[in-house]
Amino acid sequence: MCGIIGYSGHREACPILLDGLERLEYRGYDSAGILVSDNGMFHTAKRSGRLSNLRRAVEEHPLRGCCGMGHTRWATHGGPTDENAHPHGTERVMLVHNGIIENYLSLRELLLEQGYSFQSQTDTEIAACYLDYCYHGDPIDAIREALNGIEGAYAFVIMFSDHPNTLYAVRKDGPLLAALGNGENFVASDVTAVIRYTNRYLVLDEGEIAIVTPERIRLIGLDGCEHHKEIQTVTWDVEQAQKDGYEHFMLKEIHEQPDALRHTVSPRVKNGLPDWTGDGLPQDFFARFNRIQIVACGTAMHAGMIGKSVMEKLARIPVEVDIASEFRYRDPILTEDTLVIIVSQSGETADSLAALRLAKARGLATLAIVNVAGSSIAREADYVLYTFAGPEISVASTKAYSVQISLLYMIAFTLGRARGTLSEEQERSLTAQLLSCEKAVRDALALQDQIEASVRPLVDAEHLFFLGRGIDYALACEGSLKLKEISYIHCEAYAAGELKHGTISLITEGTPVIALCTQTALLPKMLSNIKETTARGASVFVIAKQGETISGDVADTVLPLQDFDDLFMPFPAVTVLQLIAYFVARARGCDIDKPRNLAKSVTVE
Ligand code: M6R
């Protein structure tokens, strides 16, 4: 969850660290801190709240030195205060940390007995002091010894005052990379933090220590052996990680969906049919399975719900979708003919990674759908299908969802063909329709002004319902998550037919309801359910295909989408839901790209 940046080079470290933190702030923004080493003299600045607070502090009291590290925090142990901001440590050893130290209480006892005292309530300070306790002059020995005693998840960047221009980086269950510049080198949680300076980086493996100086990056294993690995190159540039004239990253990313879809789908279509050879999947890969288990969190899990609908419909294969944090602890029944699909934008979500490891430990085949190249999930899954959405910076996931579902649709087509439920002609026609979703999303984006105007009645809502049936219910879940996440309006998504089994008691005069009616076959049933709410005073906003008859006594507002096959309606419909969330949150003056209490990449359980 937290963001880490480190720099060792020939330039002043402070501006580079602050710049890196700005790009990492989406990972957590409860506090920020930096440490700069001036030939072994540690100077730190830490502030609770947004990075701007730290910037102001550093402007007043500049920190000089060419080596340092920075941290932007998503609080776990200890509130978001100055004292709890990273870096933590002693006069000799300081570190920044992303993760959770699970045995910090027992380490704390041990350290108290040794005479250590603590300034913060964090698990990180305990880890830092424990490292100090293990330090007898050789940083590698100290790291090795400390890691033997530390339990939990971590990405650490560590500095020792008697090794003034060197950063030591090590990780377990948290992302970290080392990036290669010219006469300067970097460490970062992700590549967006350093893309302005270099596009060449090394992903650290677990149990590997990176020793970073201005001249070089050495990688050694915990056994002391030198590691050599391929340098990765980022394929996108710094502009793609900037707002590009949009007011918020979220709006920019919503608008990037048509391109993201094209980049993700087109390279996987050959002769009009899905083709997975570029992804390294064996020819008969999907034919091997009789069950699919999709595991993910949040928006990625909602994408999985759409995948379930489409796969079951087209390929008649049973599909289960699980929330990763539940899957891993419920001892799931998994048969050997099950393919486990992990869906994750970041590829670093702790619960999704743990679910992947569980599936692998049970000997099952695993396939990851991931956006961030080289991320933990991408590296550990048996096979990976990358979504080519480019960097998603806004905490609210938008374009990642569209590309995730596009790949789940393609898998459904391949499965259908492999299982004999689809003919080649049907598969070809479905593939062509999927390719045309790019245009359907553009058409939905063209409704932006109309959406902005029509959401006004929702802006002051205290609570709100999303209703849908079938695939529209899965969409309702995503629409509801998006709106509550960034606007702080309490929303619930309900299967429209289920409302009358309890929840309808919450509908009173003026309660706003957003009703998804994109499935022509289910429209009469939806209209009946909507009427049940209007009879109790609900004010209804309907999203339906153009040309469907929705009378004025059913809906206060109707947002008409271009007519399109029912099966593919999630592409334009989710675009509308994202824009509704965006404009409501904007009208409420919310911090859209960095909603409270959240972080982009959830690398803790
Ligand atoms: O990186 P992941 O796709 O694994 O992240 C999963 C969720 O944390 C994420 O989708 C979250 O729900 C979004 N903030 C929702 O907009």
Side-chain angles (χ1 to χ4, degrees):
M1 318 278 285
C2 307
I4 289 179
I5 168 93
Y7 174 79
S8 178
H10 50 84
R11 296 189 256 183
E12 283 295 325
C14 189
I16 294 171
L17 297 176
L18 289 172
D19 178 57
L21 288 182
E22 189 171 327
R23 282 159 219 290
L24 291 171
E25 212 186 0
Y26 72 92
R27 299 180 71 89
Y29 29 84
D30 287 329
S31 64
I34 55 174
L35 177 152
V36 174
S37 161
D38 187 7
N39 286 321
M41 285 290 291
F42 286 163
H43 302 294
T44 58
K46 314 202 264 188
R47 287 292 180 277
S48 60
R50 293 294 162 87
L51 181 63
S52 48
N53 298 346
L54 178 67
R55 273 193 192 283
R56 268 194 300 278
V58 171
E59 270 162 27
E60 281 166 26
H61 302 285
L63 307 184
R64 303 253 175 258
C66 296
C67 181
M69 57 193 178
H71 184 269
T72 176
R73 178 169 185 249
W74 187 80
T76 58
H77 296 55
T81 61
D82 287 358
E83 296 72 35
N84 289 335
H86 299 209
H88 289 290
T90 65
E91 278 178 15
R92 309 191 295 171
V93 182
M94 293 288 283
L95 59 78
V96 290
H97 169 221
N98 171 22
I100 289 178
I101 308 301
E102 286 168 0
N103 62 335
Y104 77 104
L105 287 175
S106 59
L107 293 177
R108 188 169 188 276
E109 287 308 307
L110 181 150
L111 292 166
L112 283 171
E113 279 167 22
Q114 298 300 320
Y116 283 85
S117 59
F118 308 105
Q119 324 297 319
S120 76
Q121 290 82 51
T122 63
D123 53 338
T124 301
E125 189 183 9
I126 309 288
C129 291
Y130 186 59
L131 194 60
D132 181 272
Y133 167 68
C134 297
Y135 186 48
H136 310 294
D138 183 333
I140 300 298
D141 282 350
I143 293 171
R144 214 182 282 153
E145 189 184 331
L147 295 187
N148 269 331
I150 287 176
E151 290 165 20
Y154 50 79
F156 288 131
V157 177
I158 309 159
M159 293 178 68
F160 296 85
S161 59
D162 47 4
H163 292 75
N165 295 317
T166 309
L167 304 168
Y168 297 85
V170 65
R171 65 176 279 266
K172 176 176 164 281
D173 295 336
L176 205 55
L177 57 85
L180 299 99
N182 217 340
E184 58 186 358
N185 290 307
F186 307 80
V187 185
S189 297
D190 76 44
V191 78
T192 46
V194 294
I195 183 78
R196 165 173 289 196
Y197 309 102
T198 176
N199 65 349
R200 297 162 68 238
Y201 67 98
L202 301 161
V203 176
L204 297 197
D205 280 325
E206 297 203 350
E208 196 167 57
I209 304 172
I211 306 163
V212 180
T213 59
E215 298 78 32
R216 64 184 290 216
I217 297 174
R218 268 180 75 208
L219 297 178
I220 58 165
L222 289 176
D223 56 3
C225 289
E226 197 98 14
H227 288 190
H228 299 280
K229 60 168 56 163
E230 207 183 312
I231 296 173
Q232 317 254 345
T233 311
V234 190
T235 49
W236 42 270
D237 59 24
V238 70
E239 273 72 42
Q240 280 177 274
Q242 287 176 350
K243 281 191 205 144
D244 207 13
Y246 286 92
E247 196 178 336
H248 297 97
F249 277 113
M250 182 180 178
L251 190 61
K252 175 182 178 242
E253 288 161 7
I254 291 171
H255 278 265
E256 284 172 343
Q257 288 179 116
D259 288 346
L261 279 169
R262 192 176 60 257
H263 295 148
T264 301
V265 177
S266 301
R268 295 181 167 102
V269 176
K270 297 243 164 64
N271 302 321
L273 295 170
D275 181 298
W276 305 102
T277 45
D279 298 293
L281 297 193
Q283 198 68 37
D284 64 340
F285 181 72
F286 289 105
R288 299 176 192 172
F289 307 106
N290 290 313
R291 281 189 59 208
I292 304 287
Q293 172 73 63
I294 299 176
V295 192
C297 301
T299 287
M301 194 276 292
H302 293 153
M305 289 168 71
I306 299 277
K308 172 183 165 76
S309 260
V310 178
M311 285 179 201
E312 289 188 340
K313 184 180 172 70
L314 298 180
R316 307 306 301 153
I317 187 167
V319 182
E320 276 203 61
V321 183
D322 253 301
I323 296 169
S325 54
E326 291 296 314
F327 175 81
R328 57 185 293 202
Y329 292 116
R330 78 168 167 86
D331 193 11
I333 299 166
L334 299 165
T335 51
E336 59 183 18
D337 58 351
T338 303
L339 170 64
V340 177
I341 303 181
I342 309 286
V343 187
S344 175
Q345 189 284 129
S346 63
E348 298 293 351
T349 300
D351 286 313
S352 303
L353 180 59
L356 168 69
R357 289 178 177 166
L358 172 75
K360 287 188 76 175
R362 298 271 188 100
L364 297 181
T366 56
L367 174 71
I369 296 181
V370 169
N371 195 42
V372 177
S375 55
S376 301
I377 292 174
R379 281 181 297 119
E380 292 191 28
D382 298 330
Y383 297 98
V384 55
L385 302 178
Y386 279 115
T387 53
F388 300 120
E392 191 181 65
I393 307 290
S394 179
V395 165
S397 188
T398 53
K399 59 180 177 173
Y401 175 91
S402 292
V403 289
Q404 285 160 356
I405 64 171
S406 73
L407 289 184
L408 292 167
Y409 274 69
M410 287 185 86
I411 293 172
F413 306 161
T414 308
L415 280 167
R417 189 69 194 292
R419 295 167 65 80
T421 54
L422 292 178
S423 65
E424 181 181 322
E425 197 189 335
Q426 285 171 314
E427 191 187 14
R428 196 178 292 284
S429 150
L430 288 163
T431 307
Q433 279 176 285
L434 182 65
L435 285 165
S436 68
C437 287
E438 178 191 337
K439 173 167 182 316
V441 173
R442 282 191 206 287
D443 290 343
L445 288 170
L447 298 172
Q448 179 167 308
D449 292 347
Q450 195 179 338
I451 294 170
E452 181 176 6
S454 54
V455 297
R456 275 183 209 128
L458 307 178
V459 171
D460 296 320
E462 275 176 24
H463 71 150
L464 188 151
F465 288 89
F466 284 81
L467 300 184
R469 280 175 172 261
I471 215 166
D472 276 343
Y473 169 59
L475 272 171
C477 293
E478 176 55 11
S480 168
L481 172 61
K482 211 89 309 167
L483 184 57
K484 73 183 107 181
E485 177 179 26
I486 61 169
S487 74
Y488 316 141
I489 296 175
H490 173 244
C491 312
E492 280 206 54
Y494 248 77
E498 180 65 11
L499 198 68
K500 57 187 166 296
H501 296 287
T503 309
I504 202 163
S505 65
L506 294 173
I507 306 270
T508 55
E509 196 57 41
T511 304
V513 169
I514 297 181
L516 282 141
C517 300
T518 74
Q519 303 295 296
T520 304
L522 294 170
L523 189 59
K525 302 285 172 211
M526 269 307 291
L527 293 178
S528 305
N529 296 142
I530 294 171
K531 279 191 173 153
E532 289 158 11
T533 68
T534 49
R536 274 107 191 146
S539 149
V540 182
F541 185 115
V542 165
I543 300 168
K545 286 183 201 168
Q546 213 167 44
E548 305 279 28
T549 319
I550 317 273
S551 60
D553 64 329
V554 173
D556 297 76
T557 311
V558 180
L559 196 85
L561 296 176
Q562 293 281 331
D563 194 7
F564 205 41
D565 191 284
D566 278 10
L567 189 71
F568 295 92
M569 284 308 288
F571 291 92
V574 80
T575 308
V576 168
L577 293 172
Q578 294 161 352
L579 287 170
I580 289 175
Y582 175 80
F583 284 114
V584 171
R586 202 181 72 156
R588 287 166 70 93
C590 298
D591 191 347
I592 291 180
D593 286 332
K594 297 186 188 105
R596 71 182 176 216
N597 303 340
L598 289 172
K600 181 72 180 162
S601 180
V602 186
T603 52
V604 294
E605 283 196 46

